């Protein structure tokens, strides 16, 4: 039985071998036949390849022509044709663009040079998609090029001609990397001049002598007159030609293929053996297939015996993968649960933090009603209500900010601002908070060369306030907080590189918490910090804002010793013209600065460089007294302004001022430089003859404000500005569905001298305006989210009314929707401006004044 089974296997194997042998013989026969036929088909394939290359080139020509037509159409609507041409930059295809007005022979090019049509030859009347094409020529860069001319028509009349120069080098990318395994050569020839214009990089050998058709003949020994005559005839008629000839002692197939109706030719050759090699390769490949098939048969037999074992291994591997997948699911579930717990904790914190200021607002409101007849308490209560309201608003802003940042909708508003104002506004908020906790708050600015910068001042304020308010919160009673603004080495003359350092002697943080400090919804958890209110969003928002501004933020901390936050930013410099007339107006040309801090003196001199004033420095009070007294006696080189530091080595600034006033009878303005509040020394300083205080760090803009105030100019300017922004006599239509908000707005407008009519939705606002007399309302204040008809729809309906004032009456969006996209939506429907709630009356008054004045000016 076993012998019979083995015999059957032998018969089966012999049968399979015979079948493979017959198959191999048949395949060999077919391969021989295919090999002979492929030599013939190779010529057809070569023709198809050349047709494909020709078609690709002609498509590129047509694309360039279509693009040039679009440019010509665009020129019709351009206000300044010359500026448009000059603003066009060259690229890899177009190297020059020129425009010649109708009736002219000369025009302007994008390179700023004069352009003349006399340098171009269009005599062959070659056309691409209806546009005239010049003969080929060497351009200014020494590269072969051609120019297409496109008429510029306005209302059917030709007003100019657009000339665009293209280079043949741009065609290099359309050629195949290899043609017959790099055995074939290919050139592009201009039919009229028979010059070779381009030798594609990836095709064939390079022959330095192939500059034109004659060189091609000579280099490849194509010297037969009958062949050259036939070629010349074909080129003249724009026909393709292909013929055999020996090149380098090898029989080769030479081809000349017409492009663009024969204005260009593809010229090259390929050895016949290269063509036949492909047929031989096919035959060899078929034989290889037969061998592989035989090998595959035996391999299949071997594979069959290990198949079962592989299946068992596969089942085992799948089981392992299933276990791994289950483990990953469990880990993902744990991460989701941790995230959910973090957000639950965040909501718990937010519930507490929101209720705290809300409780204060409601409590003080109750006390306000009780003590309404006591002006002192009313002012105290309203101040505390405002403070609590601002705190509540900051919490809400944090939530909105992190939502905006996570959705990718946060954008920067780049405007010009003064670094002095930024630091002053931050100082005004942080210093009282630090003082209340008995903390020392020091501000230092060093190495800054420019105080006028361009950036998002609001976001920069937010960064500083987030870092400093945290420092105040997490620093115990009597601690020390530093804000340092340090100018770094400029990497570009257009940007000021600054480093912001916020350091404190607070509770500090553990190394574990430092790893997650910039994650949202995280707060340090210990018995001390748990007493401090916070959303757990401040640091996440700060980091995102810093990165949005292209900067970096780092933190170092040690428990019990404090923390140091470092932010590095680059802000564009706003180049302000030096206001030399300001100093001339007040007769100031020479200033003396007295401070024992040499670095502070150097910073003052650096910032004052652009003023062209003489700024001298001394480092102690005694020297200052001697210098002033000497100039007073000799009347030589008087100082026009003195800046005295309060705290100095030796006698302080107050004593220095007192001695100067005794020895010098001239009324020299003296300002006291101090980094501290001057409430405690104000009376003493005034008695010593000091005219005003200047808060450190020093800024030129702050000094100018003090000088203006000293000469009684500032008050007049403020009065004029107030008078300019007054709303006295204006009457507004207000669409507001919330009764309390409407009542508050009405009272605020009345304080500004304006009156208003309030309606509860957009539909009523539309009807009221539609039936009112012209110019009865000076502007419309429009809420967005209202019942019946929202503010957007009401605005569109009002703008569509057949009334002249419907088109130009100012409509101001006044809404709690405060994102950038909300501002954009308001402007898109026809509103003039957007003012976010809670309403800031200064902003609202300025906005109303601006657009009402524009309306009155346009009438």
């Amino acid at each position: 039985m076993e012998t019979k089974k083995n015999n059957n296997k032998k018969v089966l194997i012999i049968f399979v071998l015979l079948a493979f042998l017959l198959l191999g013989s048949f395949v060999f026969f077919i391969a021989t036949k295919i090999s002979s036929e492929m030599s013939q088909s190779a010529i057809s394939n070569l023709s198809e390849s050349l047709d494909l290359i020709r078609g690709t080139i002609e498509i590129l020509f047509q694309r360039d022509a279509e693009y040039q037509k679009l440019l010509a159409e665009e020129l019709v609507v351009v206000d300044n044709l010359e500026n448009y041409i000059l603003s066009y930059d060259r690229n890899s295809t177009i190297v020059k663009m020129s425009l010649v007005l109708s009736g002219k022979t000369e025009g302007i090019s994008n390179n700023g040079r004069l352009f003349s049509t006399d340098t171009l030859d269009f005599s062959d009347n070659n056309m691409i998609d209806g546009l005239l094409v010049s003969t080929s020529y060497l351009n200014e860069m020494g590269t072969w090029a051609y120019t297409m001319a496109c008429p510029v028509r306005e209302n059917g009349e030709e007003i100019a001609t657009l000339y665009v120069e293209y280079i043949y080098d741009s065609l290099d990318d359309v050629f195949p990397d290899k043609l017959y395994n790099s055995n074939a050569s290919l050139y592009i020839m201009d039919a009229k001049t028979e010059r070779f214009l381009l030798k594609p990089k990836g095709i064939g050998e390079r022959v330095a002598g192939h500059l034109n058709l004659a060189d091609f003949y000579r280099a490849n020994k194509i010297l037969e007159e009958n062949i050259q005559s036939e070629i010349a005839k074909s080129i003249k008629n724009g026909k393709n030609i292909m013929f055999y000839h020996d090149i380098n002692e090898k029989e080769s197939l030479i081809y000349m293929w017409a492009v663009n109706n024969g204005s260009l030719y593809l010229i090259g050759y390929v050895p016949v053996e290269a063509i036949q090699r492909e047929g031989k390769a096919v035959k060899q490949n078929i034989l290889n297939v037969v061998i592989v098939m035989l090998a595959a048969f035996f391999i299949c037999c071997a594979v069959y015996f290990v198949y079962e074992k592989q299946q068992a291994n596969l089942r085992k591997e799948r089981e392992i993968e299933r276990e791994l997948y289950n483990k990953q699911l469990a880990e993902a579930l744990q991460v989701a649960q941790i995230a959910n717990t973090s957000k639950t904790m965040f909501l718990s914190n937010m519930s507490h933090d929101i209720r705290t200021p809300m409780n204060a607002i409601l409590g003080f409101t109750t006390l306000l009603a009780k003590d309404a007849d006591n002006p002192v308490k009313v002012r105290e209560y309203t101040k505390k209500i405002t403070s609590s309201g601002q705190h509540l608003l900051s919490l809400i802003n944090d939530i909105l900010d992190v939502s905006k940042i996570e959705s990718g909708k946060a954008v920067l508003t780049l405007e010009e601002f003064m670094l002095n104002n930024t630091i002053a506004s931050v100082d005004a908020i942080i210093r009282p908070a630090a003082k209340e906790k008995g903390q020392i708050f020091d501000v230092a600015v060093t190495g800054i060369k420019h105080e006028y910068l361009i950036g998002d001042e609001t976001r920069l304020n937010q960064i500083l306030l987030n870092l400093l308010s945290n420092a105040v919160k997490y620093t115990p009673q009597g601690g020390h907080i530093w804000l340092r603004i340090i100018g770094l080495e400029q990497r570009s003359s257009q940007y000021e590189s600054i480093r912001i350092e916020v350091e404190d002697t607070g509770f500090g943080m553990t190394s574990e918490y430092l790893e997650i400090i910039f994650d949202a919804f995280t707060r340090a958890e210990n018995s001390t910090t748990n007493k401090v209110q916070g959303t757990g969003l401040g640091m996440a928002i700060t980091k995102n804002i810093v990165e949005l501004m292209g900067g970096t933020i780092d933190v170092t901390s040690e428990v019990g010793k404090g923390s140091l936050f470092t932010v590095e930013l680059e802000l564009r410099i706003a180049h302000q013209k030096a206001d030399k007339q300001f100093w001339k107006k007040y007769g100031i040309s020479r200033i003396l600065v007295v401070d024992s801090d040499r670095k502070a003196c150097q910073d003052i001199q650096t910032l004052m460089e652009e003023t062209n004033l003489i700024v001298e420095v001394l480092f102690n009070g005694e020297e200052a007294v001697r210098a002033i007294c000497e100039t007073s006696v000799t009347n030589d080189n008087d100082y026009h302004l003195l800046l005295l530091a309060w705290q100095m080595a030796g006698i302080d600034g107050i004593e220095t001022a007192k001695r100067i006033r005794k020895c010098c009878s001239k009324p020299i303005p003296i300002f006291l430089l101090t980094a501290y509040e001057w409430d405690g020394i104000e009376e003493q300083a005034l008695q010593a003859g000091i005219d005003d205080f200047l808060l450190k760090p020093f800024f030129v803009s702050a000094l100018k404000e003090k000088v203006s105030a000293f000469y009684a100019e500032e008050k007049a300017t403020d009065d004029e500005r107030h008078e300019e922004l007054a709303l006295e006599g204006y009457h507004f239509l207000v669409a507001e569905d919330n009764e309390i908000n409407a009542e508050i707005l009405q009272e605020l407008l009345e304080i500004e001298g304006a009156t208003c009519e309030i309606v509860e939705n957009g539909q009523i606002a539309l009807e009221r305006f539609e039936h009112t007399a012209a110019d009865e309302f000076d502007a419309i204040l429009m809420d967005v989210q209202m019942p019946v008809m929202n503010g957007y729809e009401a605005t569109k309906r009002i703008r569509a009314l057949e009334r002249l004032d419907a088109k130009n009456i100012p409509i101001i969006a006044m809404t709690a929707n405060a994102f950038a996209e909300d501002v954009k939506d308001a402007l898109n429907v026809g509103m003039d401006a957007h003012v976010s709630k809670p309403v800031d009356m200064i902003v609202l008054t300025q906005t109303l004044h601006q657009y009402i004045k524009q309306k009155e000016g346009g009438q």
Side-chain angles (χ1 to χ4, degrees), residues 549-568:
M549 296 175 75
T552 60
I553 182 170
D554 293 300
V555 57
T556 57
S557 183
E558 188 175 345
V559 176
K561 293 188 177 180
S563 305
L564 171 62
F565 287 85
T566 304
V567 175
E568 291 193 2

Side-chain angles (χ1 to χ4, degrees), residues 625-646:
V625 173
R626 285 196 297 272
I628 296 297
C629 292
E630 288 174 3
T631 58
S632 177
V633 173
T634 61
N635 286 323
D636 184 29
N637 293 328
D638 288 345
Y639 295 107
H640 305 125
L641 179 64
L642 303 183
L643 302 180
L644 304 179
W646 174 29

Side-chain angles (χ1 to χ4, degrees), residues 107-126:
I108 188 68
S109 297
N110 61 331
N111 58 14
R113 298 177 185 173
L114 191 66
F115 172 76
S116 173
T117 59
D118 295 340
T119 61
L120 300 175
D121 182 8
F122 293 96
S123 60
D124 288 346
N125 291 321
N126 290 327

Side-chain angles (χ1 to χ4, degrees), residues 55 83 88 204 247 263 319 322 342 380 493 546 664 753 762:
N83 286 345
Y88 195 91
I247 295 179
S263 61
E319 186 65 29
R322 189 179 295 108
S342 296
E380 181 183 353
S493 60
V546 169
C664 179

